[in-house]
Amino acid sequence: MSTEMSVPSRTSRYYQITVEGKVDASWSDWLGSMQLVSWQESDGRHMTTLSGVLADQAALRGLLIRLWDLNLVLRSLQQGDPAQRSKFK
């Protein structure tokens, strides 16, 4: 079985990750210097979106592991070219 990779593993990418739970902006450095925006849904659940550029797939994996360690539920993950980050906003 062959596996095709559409993006080289050492290419910087812009990511926007949404998780359930409130993550204070003071955690940004520990979470890969991502920009953090938290809000509360109409049903009372807190949500946080992390956005920023990660160097490679290893950096993404490290970030996802940290989110896992915080027991945050992953709601969505989008990636794109760093030059086209405005399309996510």
Side-chain angles (χ1 to χ4, degrees):
M1 176 189 326
S2 68
T3 303
E4 286 187 41
M5 293 183 63
S6 60
V7 178
S9 62
R10 296 198 180 264
T11 301
S12 294
R13 304 295 285 177
Y14 176 80
Y15 290 94
Q16 188 172 49
I17 302 167
T18 302
V19 295
E20 287 184 24
K22 185 175 183 180
V23 182
D24 191 86
S26 65
W27 286 72
S28 176
D29 286 342
W30 190 71
L31 294 169
S33 297
M34 301 292 274
Q35 179 183 359
L36 305 175
V37 176
S38 295
W39 72 94
Q40 189 171 10
E41 296 279 293
S42 60
D43 62 4
R45 287 181 301 144
H46 288 277
M47 306 292 282
T48 301
T49 296
L50 299 85
S51 56
V53 175
L54 295 173
D56 54 24
Q57 290 291 303
L60 175 61
R61 184 172 188 263
L63 176 59
L64 292 174
I65 288 170
R66 287 179 180 217
L67 295 173
W68 171 268
D69 289 344
L70 293 172
N71 280 337
L72 298 171
V73 175
L74 181 66
R75 294 298 302 245
S76 69
L77 187 149
Q78 294 178 300
Q79 74 163 355
D81 187 309
Q84 297 177 349
R85 72 178 73 181
S86 62
K87 77 175 188 174
F88 292 98
K89 296 179 182 178

